[in-house]
Amino acid sequence: METSQKKKRFSMPSSYTVLFLIILAIAILTWFVPAGEYQVDEAGNILSGSYQVIEQHPQGLWDVFMAPVKGMIGTETTPGAIEVSLFIIVVGGFLGVVNSTGALDTGIAQVVKNYKGKEKLLIPILMFIFALGGTTYGMAEETMAFYALIIPVMVAVGFDTLVAVSVVLLGSGVGVLASTVNPFATGVASQALGISPGEGILWRLIFFVVMYGIATLFVYRYAVKVQNDPTKSLVYKDYEKNQKKFAVSSIKEEMTKKQKVVMVLFGLAFLIMVLGLVPWSTLNENWTFFETMNDWLMGLPIIGTVLGQQMVALGNWYFMEITMLFFLMAIIIGLYYRIPEGEIVSTFMEGARDLLGVALVVALARGIQVVMNEGMITATILHLGEENLSNLSPVLFSILTYIFYIPMSFLIPSTSGLAAATMGIMGPLGSFADVPQHVVITAYQAASGIINLITPTSGVVMGALAIAGIELTTWWKFTAKLIGIIFIVSCIILGFAAVLG
């Protein structure tokens, strides 16, 4: 055996492996952690102070391998992930159909072309577009196609590759960090806690506006500095190489009228989703417009029958309804764009396949709750939290929750997997500290979002840096101050949210 043989580099295990190892570890804990249960009221809410120890329920190998299956289907004690998993798959199909029209790519290209000579304005505009994608549907992997388009333009006008990567990566990243209605973060976490994704949307909107402003100002100031003096660039050593490598060519793409309509339909789908998920009548008892309109439509002799008597009013939607919405919009976009029937099906299936892994990771993560609940240790862990967190102020609890989720995001980079794995515990713990459950969700999103801007376990981060030829350590150096600012501001906003509710 040659002594010069290189040792294999350690590589982080996939989210699937990490989640399965957690299931195994939890199963082992069920042999040693005392089993217990709480009394609940008629509404199913846990009664504080009612915990009692019961007979042990150790989980074996059969239970470990059955956990992901039960996590998908559901049990008496754990809701299944089938609704959210199906929704994720359908959204993937919807995005597949939209991408087949070329509307998204051409739209970005058109924006770049229209602002030729006013390139500094491209930074806030493009970052806002990507942030909208991040906050509405968790735009991340979908951004990879834009780097080849944006990097040459940014380099040609005197910026560097860090600016180009930041526009896309930080733009979409801060959007995901806020995740106002992101179904893969907000949706999964809300479903795990049994609350509407519309709860806490005001605080997530505040997060979106503040984080977008901070990130945009950060990138803009650096871009101006580099444009005025290229030697200030953190990648100046590659200046000449990048000028040759990313020599810009003229952008000739023009968005057709049909593609413009596709973009309108694309935005309309997410607008309807937002209108459907926000509990309007709960926010204000007089906001019953959608319910009144729905009752009126259902009361019409022929139209009501054609629409279907079980149509649900906007504001009362959940995963079944928004899954139907994206399925319907995929069909409408495909038919409008005159995509052949077979191609609509194939592009839908390809898009669904791209997100199949995300759908499965949700079920695997839900298996953690299955093992904890069937091992009867969930109540015991909650009891420990109740005893230790009962004296914490809501502000301190919300900040500690945020800090807790930072290392957890390294272990489970998948936002949906992290939510499904932990919300069943963290949500009730928040209730013990008088912190609204939507604040716990916001803390999780903010922590996961900040880590996914810099983590080497993210294929998006590593892929973007590879395309631009930027070292990871350079990216860390560039974003260090921004990460610190985001951390401090996030703690402040979460503190206010915990107090004001």
Side-chain angles (χ1 to χ4, degrees):
M1 185 175 180
E2 297 181 7
T3 56
S4 60
Q5 185 179 7
K6 293 182 179 180
K7 293 183 179 180
K8 290 184 177 180
R9 290 184 176 181
F10 171 78
S11 59
M12 284 291 293
S14 67
S15 296
Y16 302 97
T17 302
V18 170
L19 290 171
F20 190 79
L21 290 175
I22 293 176
I23 290 176
L24 183 61
I26 295 297
I28 294 172
L29 287 178
T30 62
W31 289 72
F32 304 101
V33 175
E37 64 180 5
Y38 274 99
Q39 300 297 317
V40 297
D41 59 21
E42 295 180 357
N45 298 314
I46 292 174
L47 298 176
S48 180
S50 64
Y51 173 82
Q52 59 183 359
V53 177
I54 61 173
E55 183 182 354
Q56 206 76 13
H57 286 69
Q59 301 291 287
L61 287 175
W62 174 273
D63 305 297
V64 168
F65 285 95
M66 280 295 292
V69 179
K70 292 181 177 180
M72 177 65 82
I73 299 172
T75 67
E76 291 184 2
T77 58
T78 308
I82 185 65
E83 284 190 4
V84 64
S85 294
L86 179 60
F87 172 65
I88 290 170
I89 292 172
V90 171
V91 169
F94 167 78
L95 294 175
V97 174
V98 173
N99 287 332
S100 70
T101 69
L104 284 174
D105 292 347
T106 308
I108 292 293
Q110 194 63 50
V111 170
V112 172
K113 181 180 178 180
N114 291 340
Y115 280 83
K116 187 174 183 180
K118 300 177 286 185
E119 286 80 8
K120 290 189 185 73
L121 292 178
L122 278 175
I123 294 174
I125 292 172
L126 289 178
M127 288 187 72
F128 184 73
I129 293 173
F130 286 116
L132 278 180
T135 198
T136 53
Y137 70 95
M139 188 181 193
E141 289 82 0
E142 298 84 358
T143 63
M144 298 307 294
F146 298 122
Y147 290 101
L149 172 66
I150 292 176
I151 291 175
V153 176
M154 293 296 176
V155 171
V157 299
F159 301 143
D160 63 10
T161 51
L162 277 171
V163 174
V165 170
S166 297
V167 165
V168 184
L169 184 55
L170 294 181
S172 60
V174 294
V176 175
L177 186 152
S179 284
T180 50
V181 292
N182 176 7
F184 309 116
T186 309
V188 174
S190 299
Q191 198 258 2
L193 294 180
I195 65 174
S196 167
E199 291 191 32
I201 193 171
L202 175 60
W203 289 107
R204 295 194 293 273
L205 283 170
I206 292 174
F207 252 101
F208 177 80
V209 173
V210 172
M211 295 306 168
Y212 163 75
I214 291 173
T216 301
L217 180 61
F218 178 83
V219 176
Y220 190 91
R221 290 182 63 184
Y222 175 81
V224 171
K225 181 173 68 174
V226 170
Q227 193 176 42
N228 292 336
D229 183 1
T231 62
K232 300 291 185 181
S233 169
L234 294 180
V235 290
Y236 179 70
K237 62 181 178 63
D238 298 323
Y239 178 79
E240 292 186 4
K241 182 178 72 174
N242 287 336
Q243 288 291 323
K244 295 177 181 179
K245 180 179 179 182
F246 300 111
V248 68
S249 57
S250 59
I251 300 172
K252 300 179 181 179
E253 292 91 340
E254 292 286 345
M255 180 171 276
T256 65
K257 290 181 179 180
K258 292 178 70 174
Q259 287 178 327
K260 290 178 181 178
V261 174
V262 168
M263 291 305 298
V264 171
L265 293 172
F266 178 82
L268 182 62
F270 287 95
L271 175 61
I272 294 174
M273 183 183 74
V274 173
L275 294 175
L277 291 174
V278 175
W280 302 105
S281 58
T282 302
L283 297 176
N284 189 312
E285 61 181 13
N286 295 320
W287 292 355
T288 59
F289 172 77
F290 292 121
E291 293 175 352
T292 302
M293 176 180 287
N294 190 75
D295 292 339
W296 176 73
L297 287 172
M298 292 299 95
L300 295 176
I302 298 176
I303 296 178
T305 304
V306 171
L307 289 175
Q309 293 298 309
Q310 297 184 21
M311 192 169 74
V312 179
L314 295 176
N316 297 310
W317 283 20
Y318 204 44
F319 279 97
M320 288 181 63
E321 289 77 18
I322 58 178
T323 300
M324 176 277 299
L325 169 67
F326 283 98
F327 178 64
L328 173 63
M329 293 303 290
I331 295 173
I332 291 174
I333 289 174
L335 292 177
Y336 169 77
Y337 207 75
R338 294 191 178 181
I339 301 173
E341 175 273 334
E343 192 175 334
I344 292 177
V345 174
S346 63
T347 54
F348 186 92
M349 296 301 291
E350 288 174 8
R353 183 182 60 195
D354 290 341
L355 291 184
L356 181 60
V358 178
L360 292 177
V361 84
V362 172
L364 185 60
R366 191 61 57 86
I368 297 173
Q369 286 183 260
V370 171
V371 172
M372 291 183 65
N373 290 341
E374 295 195 347
M376 304 299 288
I377 65 171
T378 302
T380 302
I381 295 174
L382 291 176
H383 176 62
L384 292 173
E386 180 183 14
E387 289 186 326
N388 292 291
L389 296 174
S390 58
N391 294 324
L392 289 181
S393 67
V395 172
L396 184 57
F397 178 89
S398 63
I399 294 174
L400 289 177
T401 300
Y402 174 59
I403 294 173
F404 160 79
Y405 270 114
I406 288 178
M408 288 298 295
S409 298
F410 272 113
L411 294 175
I412 309 177
S414 167
T415 53
S416 51
L418 179 61
T422 60
M423 276 298 146
I425 293 297
M426 297 306 297
L429 286 182
S431 299
F432 288 137
D434 293 325
V435 173
Q437 291 186 325
H438 66 76
V439 175
V440 176
I441 293 175
T442 303
Y444 131 77
Q445 291 175 175
S448 178
I450 194 174
I451 289 303
N452 285 326
L453 294 176
I454 57 173
T455 177
T457 62
S458 168
V460 177
V461 172
M462 300 309 293
L465 297 182
I467 292 172
I470 299 172
E471 295 290 336
L472 179 62
T473 51
T474 303
W475 179 250
W476 284 347
K477 181 179 180 181
F478 171 69
T479 57
K481 183 181 294 185
L482 175 65
I483 296 299
I485 295 171
I486 289 176
F487 176 84
I488 293 172
V489 174
S490 296
C491 290
I492 294 172
I493 296 176
L494 287 170
F496 277 108
V499 174
L500 302 177

